[in-house]
């Protein structure tokens, strides 16, 4: 158990960060190069002002018509994404790890708050799962990989919550928590989780086309 | 869970172009063409759009087909699933029957209206993806018969309606004579060099809506515009090749059009009330010809009317009394942002304006655009029933008093006419030019 723990909390951390950072750079750069070669118009029509204008409308809650039309989905999506990114970075236990390893630290969230945020992530994942199964238009688009991706995101939070509360099998849960977190990180560049990387590009390009060429808004 | 992409054989619509088209296909040919198009003609955009889609279904409510039928296969992402996702997953190894269905989806179940790009959080351009599918089907020779016929007409005559060169000139002279009964010194100046305005129309105007040319001439005359119309091929600004995926022909058509205007040393192109032609000149055809923006300024009729009223060149004798509502055509609203100018003109000319909802960029498509109405009678019922959303929207405007529906676009006219008739809406349908002509002070202009 200890060897396994040392392995997932040592070399695998390095590996997952390398895959995440290297993979993300590779994906973004290779797409930029491919676009230059095959879709040069992306560079011609990309307009920073209109790209940012569109991105801005889509990253503030209820900034677009569609968000206003689906208030529950909008609320869940924003809470989910904020907690999903916020917890791993600002969790006290994580900040301590950084401090111990690198002697750097930053602001953290209190544990009770983190607890609630974690539950919010898990609840959101359940919401997405139910939505996927119940709404015909979402179900129609669903493939097995969508469930796998949802699991990749949910498991680190479930196991983390479990480990924090030190319920039975705590040691194993901690290992699973670290391992699943690493899997999620490494999966970002190479699965549909890459929407995190490409959101500014796709939204910005559509914003540029609509704003600069077509003189219209796209939200 | 994951439902098969193809399950529609039972509801198959017979179309000569689609059904005969696939008879000639072999699996090798299909694979080769799909991969060639994907490899040679697409790149980062397609890959990113396919990889980024998180299958959330949020685009569904954007599509009038989905809103009307409430069937997942009509959602924007649903259409991509049934076409491109499958082609990519199988690396081009799909059946002729699959291609038939893909062509039908891309050509008759999507109007390329881009409303879904405003509903997708990532701004995925489903219209672009559907155009890629049409391109593949074009190269495989599987395109609905009626629209393919118009594309053939474009290739043979450089206009959409098989109008012969002399018939074109004859029509303009005929309309000039007709108009001279009303305004004796009115002219339709043909092939005049150095005019401020090169006026272009779509093929169907001389073919069966010649009165629109008459009306445009009266407006030009009253506003004292120095204008001309070309006497040579290149007069037609329409473009069904853009919609069949025949990009090479789209480029040739636009080149002929731009060059006619440049040969006459015109200062700008002003075009009639058509949406798709505007898209072709302002957005797609110019890009194929490697012009970032059109090589000569292009003004749509709405913007032109707006200018004429703003500058006081046109005056209204009496306002149009019947309450009107306005349909915002996709290609000039989501495609050019002319909605506020349209409202300005409507308010100049009409007593009472009733907004329909949603409106402006969020307006629902007429379901005729993107070449769908041009796919002809076999797909008519699906097109009209697939736009109950529009009927509801129009009915609501009617309930609030609207009696006349203004649609400043030809394809919208065709589509809305069918919708009004099918759903018994009893709205009178007009172009903006119809109302301006009816209400304006005529015949003051003298400059020629």
């Amino acid at each position: 158990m200890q060897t396994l723990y040392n392995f997932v909390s040592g070399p695998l951390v390095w590996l997952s960060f390398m895959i995440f950072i290297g993979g993300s750079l590779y994906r973004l750069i290779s797409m930029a190069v491919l676009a230059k070669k095959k879709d040069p118009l992306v560079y011609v029509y990309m307009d920073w002002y209109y790209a940012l204008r569109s991105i801005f409308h889509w990253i503030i809650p209820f900034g677009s018509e569609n968000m206003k039309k689906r208030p529950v989905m909008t609320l869940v999506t924003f809470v989910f994404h904020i907690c999903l990114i916020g917890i791993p970075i600002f969790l006290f236990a994580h900040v301590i790890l950084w401090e111990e390893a690198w002697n750097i630290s930053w602001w953290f969230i209190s544990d009770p708050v983190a607890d609630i945020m974690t539950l919010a992530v898990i609840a959101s994942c359940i919401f997405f799962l139910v939505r996927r199964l119940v709404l015909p238009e979402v179900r129609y688009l669903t493939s097995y990989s969508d469930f796998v991706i949802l699991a990749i995101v949910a498991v680190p939070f479930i196991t983390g919550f479990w480990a924090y509360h030190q319920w039975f099998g705590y040691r194993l849960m901690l290992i699973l928590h670290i391992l699943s977190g690493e899997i999620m990180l490494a999966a970002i560049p190479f699965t549909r989780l890459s929407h995190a990387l490409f959101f500014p590009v796709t939204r910005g390009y559509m914003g540029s086309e609509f704003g600069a060429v077509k003189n219209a808004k796209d939200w | 869970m994951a439902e098969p992409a193809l399950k529609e054989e039972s509801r198959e619509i017979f179309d000569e172009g689609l059904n005969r088209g696939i008879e000639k296909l072999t699996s090798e040919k299909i694979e080769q063409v799909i991969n060639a198009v994907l490899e040679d003609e697409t790149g980062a955009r397609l890959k990113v759009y396919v990889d980024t889609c998180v299958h959330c279904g949020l685009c569904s409510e954007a599509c009038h087909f989905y809103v009307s039928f409430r069937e997942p296969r009509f959602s924007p992402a649903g259409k991509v699933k049934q076409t491109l996702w499958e082609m990519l997953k199988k690396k081009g190894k799909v059946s002729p029957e699959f291609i038939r269905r893909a062509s039908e989806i891309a050509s008759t179940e999507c109007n390329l209206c881009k409303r879904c790009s405003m509903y997708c959080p990532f701004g995925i351009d489903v219209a672009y993806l559907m155009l890629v599918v049409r391109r593949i089907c074009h190269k495989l020779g599987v395109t609905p018969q009626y629209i393919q016929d118009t594309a053939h007409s474009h290739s043979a005559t450089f206009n959409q309606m098989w109008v012969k060169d002399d018939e074109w000139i004859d029509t303009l002279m005929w309309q000039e004579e007709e108009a001279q009964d009303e305004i004796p010194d009115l002219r339709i100046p043909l092939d005049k060099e150095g005019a401020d305005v090169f006026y272009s129309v779509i093929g169907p105007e001389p073919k069966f809506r010649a009165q629109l040319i008459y009306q445009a001439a009266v407006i030009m005359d009253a506003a004292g515009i120095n204008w001309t119309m070309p006497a040579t091929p290149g007069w037609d600004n329409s473009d069904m090749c853009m919609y069949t995926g025949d990009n090479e022909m789209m480029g040739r058509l636009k080149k002929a059009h731009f060059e006619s205007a440049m040969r006459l040393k015109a200062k700008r192109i002003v075009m009639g009330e058509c949406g798709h032609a505007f898209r072709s000149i302002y957005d797609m055809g110019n890009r194929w010809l490697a012009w970032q923006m059109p090589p000569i300024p292009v003004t749509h009729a709405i913007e032109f009317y707006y200018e004429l009223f703003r500058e006081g060149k046109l005056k209204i004798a009496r306002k149009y009394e019947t309450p009107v509502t306005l349909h915002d055509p996709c290609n000039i609203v989501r495609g050019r942002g002319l909605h506020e100018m349209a409202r300005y003109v409507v308010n100049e000319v009409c007593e009472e304006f009733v907004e329909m909802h949603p409106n402006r960029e969020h307006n629902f498509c007429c379901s005729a655009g993107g070449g769908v109405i041009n796919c002809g009678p076999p797909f008519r019922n699906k097109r009209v029933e697939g736009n109950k959303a529009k009927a509801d929207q129009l009915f609501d405007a009617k309930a609030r008093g609207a009696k006349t529906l203004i649609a400043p676009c030809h394809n919208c006219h065709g589509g809305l006419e069918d919708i009004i008739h099918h759903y018994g809406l009893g709205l009178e349908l007009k172009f903006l030019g119809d109302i301006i002509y009816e209400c304006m002070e005529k015949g003051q202009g003298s400059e020629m």
Side-chain angles (χ1 to χ4, degrees), chain B residues 10-232:
Chain B
S10 53
R11 265 190 267 182
E12 191 171 293
I13 292 168
F14 182 83
D15 179 275
E16 199 77 28
L18 298 181
N19 292 56
R20 289 282 146 73
I22 61 168
E23 284 173 9
K24 289 170 250 162
L25 293 181
T26 60
S27 42
E28 296 76 43
K29 168 95 174 157
I30 295 173
E31 190 183 348
Q32 182 258 320
V33 167
I34 291 178
N35 291 323
V37 170
L38 293 180
E39 189 56 39
D40 302 338
E41 302 186 23
T42 71
R45 267 195 303 167
L46 186 109
K47 281 199 170 58
V48 170
Y49 287 152
V50 171
D51 291 351
T52 302
C53 176
V54 291
H55 307 172
C56 68
L58 286 173
C59 54
S60 310
E61 295 289 333
C63 182
H64 49 280
F65 276 106
Y66 176 81
V67 172
S68 303
F69 287 133
R70 290 278 156 201
E71 279 185 48
R73 69 190 174 102
F74 286 106
S75 79
K79 294 171 208 171
V80 185
K81 171 192 159 121
Q82 295 169 82
T83 55
L84 266 183
W85 289 358
E86 206 68 9
M87 291 181 191
L88 286 164
K89 202 165 80 188
K90 298 197 168 143
K91 297 194 165 51
K93 290 190 178 60
V94 294
S95 66
E97 189 49 40
F98 178 92
I99 293 295
R100 191 208 164 282
R101 181 77 190 118
S103 183
E104 184 181 343
I105 292 167
S107 300
T108 74
E109 295 174 8
C110 171
N111 297 94
L112 311 176
C113 79
K114 294 206 187 221
R115 194 171 187 261
C116 48
S117 299
M118 301 169 56
Y119 285 72
C120 168
F122 302 100
I124 292 175
D125 194 347
V126 174
Y128 162 72
L129 299 177
M130 287 298 115
L131 277 169
V132 172
V133 176
R134 291 188 188 189
R135 174 72 172 162
I136 289 170
C137 296
H138 160 70
K139 289 201 145 187
L140 287 168
V142 184
T143 304
Q145 167 96 337
Y146 276 80
I147 193 169
Q148 188 56 51
D149 179 74
T150 37
H152 287 328
S153 169
H154 276 306
S155 308
T157 66
F158 275 70
N159 71 72
Q160 197 195 123
M161 291 275 136
W162 302 100
V163 177
K164 289 181 190 141
D165 293 359
D166 59 333
E167 290 172 346
W168 162 245
I169 296 170
D170 194 49
T171 305
L172 296 183
M173 293 176 78
W174 164 48
Q175 286 307 309
E176 183 181 68
E177 272 175 38
E178 290 278 312
Q180 281 170 351
D181 281 349
E182 192 180 359
I183 300 154
D185 63 351
L186 179 139
R187 294 295 313 273
I188 296 181
L190 282 186
D191 247 14
K192 176 174 145 185
E193 272 196 14
D196 294 332
V197 165
F198 170 99
Y199 187 65
S200 68
V201 297
I202 64 169
E205 290 206 16
K207 193 79 177 182
F208 46 72
R209 276 175 179 162
Q211 86 281 2
L212 292 177
I213 298 175
Y214 173 128
Q215 291 173 4
V218 172
I219 291 172
M220 295 288 183
D221 175 74
I225 302 296
N226 175 11
W227 70 301
T228 187
M229 291 182 87
T232 53

Side-chain angles (χ1 to χ4, degrees), chain B residues 161-381:
Chain B
M161 291 275 136
W162 302 100
V163 177
K164 289 181 190 141
D165 293 359
D166 59 333
E167 290 172 346
W168 162 245
I169 296 170
D170 194 49
T171 305
L172 296 183
M173 293 176 78
W174 164 48
Q175 286 307 309
E176 183 181 68
E177 272 175 38
E178 290 278 312
Q180 281 170 351
D181 281 349
E182 192 180 359
I183 300 154
D185 63 351
L186 179 139
R187 294 295 313 273
I188 296 181
L190 282 186
D191 247 14
K192 176 174 145 185
E193 272 196 14
D196 294 332
V197 165
F198 170 99
Y199 187 65
S200 68
V201 297
I202 64 169
E205 290 206 16
K207 193 79 177 182
F208 46 72
R209 276 175 179 162
Q211 86 281 2
L212 292 177
I213 298 175
Y214 173 128
Q215 291 173 4
V218 172
I219 291 172
M220 295 288 183
D221 175 74
I225 302 296
N226 175 11
W227 70 301
T228 187
M229 291 182 87
T232 53
W235 56 265
D236 182 2
N237 53 27
S238 77
D239 195 342
M240 279 305 133
C241 297
M242 162 176 80
Y243 285 149
T244 59
D246 188 350
N247 297 343
E248 289 79 5
M249 215 26 241
M250 165 178 78
R252 288 177 64 202
L253 291 170
K254 287 318 102 173
K255 196 162 182 239
H257 189 61
F258 291 138
E259 285 180 354
S260 330
M262 287 163 140
R263 178 176 59 81
L264 294 176
K265 302 181 176 66
K267 296 207 173 61
R268 62 168 163 167
I269 295 171
V270 171
M271 49 183 293
E273 292 177 53
C274 180
H276 93 274
F278 186 80
R279 179 188 196 137
S280 158
I281 297 177
Y282 181 78
D283 184 7
M284 290 179 63
N286 57 310
R287 292 185 187 196
W288 181 263
L289 296 170
W291 287 94
Q292 182 178 353
M293 297 307 273
I296 168 168
V298 174
T299 309
H300 186 269
I302 288 181
E303 192 178 351
F304 187 61
Y305 300 149
Y306 169 82
E307 277 174 29
L308 298 183
F309 282 111
R310 276 304 284 261
E311 291 164 11
K313 288 183 176 162
L314 270 190
K315 289 192 179 60
I316 290 302
R318 50 158 197 94
K319 280 196 166 187
Y320 186 77
E321 280 167 14
T322 317
V324 299
T325 186
L326 172 72
H327 167 80
D328 289 294
C330 313
N331 286 321
I332 53 169
V333 169
R334 271 189 289 284
R336 187 64 181 110
L338 297 184
H339 41 279
E340 298 306 338
M341 288 186 194
R343 278 162 181 73
Y344 178 90
V345 176
V346 168
N347 285 315
E348 281 292 301
V349 193
C350 303
E351 282 298 351
E352 195 185 338
F353 171 47
V354 181
E355 279 284 6
M356 64 171 80
H357 298 283
N359 54 50
R360 297 179 168 83
E361 286 102 331
H362 288 274
N363 183 36
F364 278 117
C365 168
C366 62
S367 202
V372 173
I373 195 171
N374 308 74
C375 293
F379 304 98
R380 183 187 169 278
N381 288 347

Side-chain angles (χ1 to χ4, degrees), chain A:
Chain A
M1 197 76 118
Q2 189 60 38
T3 347
L4 193 60
Y5 177 80
N6 287 342
F7 181 64
V8 297
S9 64
L12 274 191
V13 178
W14 281 99
L15 188 66
S16 68
F17 268 93
M18 270 152 54
I19 296 175
F20 167 57
I21 295 167
S24 298
L25 286 174
Y26 166 76
R27 289 277 287 155
L28 287 169
I29 292 169
S30 65
M31 279 303 168
V33 170
L34 184 63
K36 191 87 202 165
K37 207 171 115 197
K38 292 291 196 55
D39 295 301
L41 87 170
V42 171
Y43 292 91
V44 174
Y45 293 103
M46 195 61 115
D47 179 295
W48 289 107
Y49 170 75
Y50 290 110
L52 290 171
R53 184 180 78 158
S54 175
I55 291 167
F56 176 74
H57 276 95
W58 284 91
I59 57 169
I60 54 166
F62 302 101
S64 75
E65 275 301 304
N66 206 12
M67 289 191 222
K68 287 173 204 153
K69 280 206 173 111
R70 298 161 178 266
V72 178
M73 178 66 179
T74 304
L75 205 67
V76 174
T77 309
F78 274 92
V79 167
F80 168 76
H81 281 95
I82 290 165
C83 296
L84 177 76
I85 298 165
I87 298 171
I89 301 175
F90 298 111
L91 187 78
F92 178 62
H94 287 186
V95 175
I96 291 290
L97 289 173
W98 285 97
E99 188 164 20
E100 282 174 359
W102 296 85
N103 203 24
I104 47 169
S105 73
W106 51 78
W107 178 85
F108 53 85
I109 22 183
S110 73
D111 283 355
V113 174
D115 241 18
I116 294 167
M117 286 170 77
T118 307
L119 287 174
V121 172
I122 297 168
S124 307
C125 287
I126 294 169
F127 174 84
F128 292 140
L129 176 69
V130 171
R131 188 175 176 276
R132 216 169 249 307
L133 293 172
V134 170
L135 295 187
E137 76 270 28
V138 191
R139 196 185 158 99
Y140 183 74
L141 300 172
T142 299
S143 55
Y144 286 106
S145 62
D146 292 301
F147 296 110
V148 175
I149 288 168
L150 199 55
I152 288 177
V153 173
V155 171
F157 291 87
I158 297 169
T159 52
F161 189 77
W162 193 296
Y164 171 77
H165 289 279
Q166 310 215 347
W167 294 335
F168 69 91
Y170 149 75
R171 292 291 291 173
L172 178 67
M173 269 311 158
L174 186 62
I175 291 171
L176 286 178
H177 170 66
I178 300 171
L179 188 65
S180 60
E182 288 159 352
I183 290 173
M184 175 165 80
L185 215 50
I188 290 172
F190 302 107
T191 61
R192 274 195 294 284
L193 293 178
S194 64
H195 69 266
L197 306 174
F198 290 118
F199 167 76
V201 185
T202 53
R203 189 77 259 167
Y205 180 65
M206 193 43 78
S208 304
E209 280 271 6
F210 266 72
V213 182
K214 298 173 171 114
N215 193 27
K217 55 189 177 68
D218 66 328
W219 55 83

